[in-house]
Amino acid sequence: MLITGATTGIGYELSLLFAKQHFNLILVARNSGLLQQRKAELEKSFPVQIKTFQLDLTDPDSGKKLFASLKEENIPVEILVNNAGFGLLGPFIKTDLEKEIQMIQLNEIAPVILSKLFLKQLPKGVPGKILNVSSTAAFIPGPLMSVYYASKAQLLSFGEALAYELAGTGVTVTTLCPGPTVTEFQSRAGQHGVRLLKTPVMNATTVARKGFKGLMKGKRVVVPGILNKLSVVTMKVLPKRWLLPVIKYVHQ
Ligand SMILES: NC(=O)c1ccc[n+]([C@@H]2O[C@H](COP(=O)([O-])OP(=O)(O)OC[C@H]3O[C@@H](n4cnc5c(N)ncnc54)[C@H](OP(=O)(O)O)[C@@H]3O)[C@@H](O)[C@H]2O)c1
């Protein structure tokens, strides 16, 4: 199975769960030192073979290179986890456009490319699984994190549509929608001190466990945690004119 963003946070916890179940893993991230460290840790603790790819998935050609290498080495992929992603906090007028383009590339375009290449290499009739790590941000526009929230809405919409298209083929698509979770995400997004992080947050181990379980059951959407479930229901029923000021407030 192949997992992007497997070196820290939710991706790392997911890789541990797969390794515990004796899945051989293909780990993708940019930091090669950390990739090697994760490979060594996992191979020492579990009877698994780990392959690593140091790739920057904001490069639109990286997905093609990855699947070409796997084909060359005759390594089939039966589970794909599109987990790598990042956010950026700030008023849109001030945030860095280049970073936002990279975010769209990583959070939206890379999962589309990888899903396509994954499905094309999957032999007909072989059951496959895709797990897309979206967010509760997918259910509402996000003032002060507008591009990030939009990217997660795209991933949820894409995943749900694909799940429906593939129904009956043996291939399932699960979209995991965590709420705030303690990982490197917060520092990378520049979220230090925002009100959102003073509310109860989940840990990456629990989020990964819920995602793993949902993936194995072939669920279409998994929202981990009762508070996240409640906030998703609230986002679905309350008018946006009430909700958007709250979303902006918690990001300050
Ligand atoms: N934490 C939260 O509050 C939260 C809530 C909802 C959803 N999520 C989603 O959960 C997913 C995982 O995030 P996390 O919270 O676990 O964050 P994290 O700890 O920052 O992990 C991100 C992972 O992605 C990799 N990555 C980042 N940029 C990459 C790139 N350009 N190419 C390849 N790999 C890249 C990172 O490794 P390198 O830096 O070495 O590349 C790392 O392994 C993301 O999609 C995020 O949007 C997070």
Side-chain angles (χ1 to χ4, degrees), residues 52-106:
T52 62
F53 282 90
Q54 192 242 324
L55 281 176
D56 184 343
L57 292 168
T58 64
D59 170 0
D61 289 330
S62 57
K64 288 180 201 151
K65 284 183 200 154
L66 172 60
F67 272 94
S69 303
L70 293 172
K71 191 177 176 191
E72 220 168 84
E73 293 183 49
N74 216 1
I75 302 174
V77 185
E78 280 160 24
I79 301 179
L80 167 68
V81 180
N82 286 308
N83 163 76
F86 74 93
L88 184 62
L89 178 77
F92 181 69
I93 189 88
K94 289 194 178 155
T95 44
D96 184 66
L97 180 60
E98 284 313 309
K99 268 199 169 171
E100 278 158 345
I101 293 170
Q102 286 177 2
M103 190 199 300
I104 291 168
Q105 197 73 49
L106 182 65

Side-chain angles (χ1 to χ4, degrees), residues 5-11 28-31 55-58 83-86 106 133-135 148 152 178-181 183-186 188:
T7 48
T8 62
I10 298 167
V28 179
R30 290 167 305 175
N31 181 331
L55 281 176
D56 184 343
L57 292 168
T58 64
N83 163 76
F86 74 93
L106 182 65
V133 183
S134 176
S135 167
Y148 177 71
K152 292 299 172 180
T181 308
T183 66
E184 314 249 315
F185 179 90
Q186 287 76 30
R188 291 180 191 227

Side-chain angles (χ1 to χ4, degrees), residues 46-219:
F46 308 101
V48 291
Q49 285 179 340
I50 308 292
K51 203 161 171 53
T52 62
F53 282 90
Q54 192 242 324
L55 281 176
D56 184 343
L57 292 168
T58 64
D59 170 0
D61 289 330
S62 57
K64 288 180 201 151
K65 284 183 200 154
L66 172 60
F67 272 94
S69 303
L70 293 172
K71 191 177 176 191
E72 220 168 84
E73 293 183 49
N74 216 1
I75 302 174
V77 185
E78 280 160 24
I79 301 179
L80 167 68
V81 180
N82 286 308
N83 163 76
F86 74 93
L88 184 62
L89 178 77
F92 181 69
I93 189 88
K94 289 194 178 155
T95 44
D96 184 66
L97 180 60
E98 284 313 309
K99 268 199 169 171
E100 278 158 345
I101 293 170
Q102 286 177 2
M103 190 199 300
I104 291 168
Q105 197 73 49
L106 182 65
N107 297 9
E108 300 187 41
I109 299 175
V112 170
I113 295 173
L114 295 178
S115 299
K116 175 88 77 187
L117 299 174
F118 164 76
L119 289 170
K120 284 196 178 286
Q121 59 85 60
L122 199 64
K124 220 178 169 188
V126 170
K129 291 184 184 300
I130 299 177
L131 178 66
N132 289 325
V133 183
S134 176
S135 167
T136 50
F139 296 92
I140 187 98
L144 297 183
M145 285 192 92
S146 54
V147 179
Y148 177 71
Y149 274 56
S151 74
K152 292 299 172 180
Q154 180 273 350
L155 190 55
L156 174 63
S157 173
F158 169 64
E160 284 195 276
L162 198 54
Y164 196 83
E165 259 186 49
L166 293 169
T169 64
V171 181
T172 61
V173 182
T174 302
T175 307
L176 173 63
C177 298
T181 308
V182 187
T183 66
E184 314 249 315
F185 179 90
Q186 287 76 30
S187 58
R188 291 180 191 227
Q191 278 187 323
H192 283 307
V194 299
R195 293 186 179 95
L196 182 66
L197 302 179
K198 293 178 183 127
T199 61
V201 293
M202 287 182 79
N203 63 62
T205 318
T206 312
V207 169
R209 207 173 327 116
K210 304 272 181 199
F212 182 83
K213 222 170 141 186
L215 175 74
M216 290 308 167
K217 285 187 176 164
K219 283 196 173 179

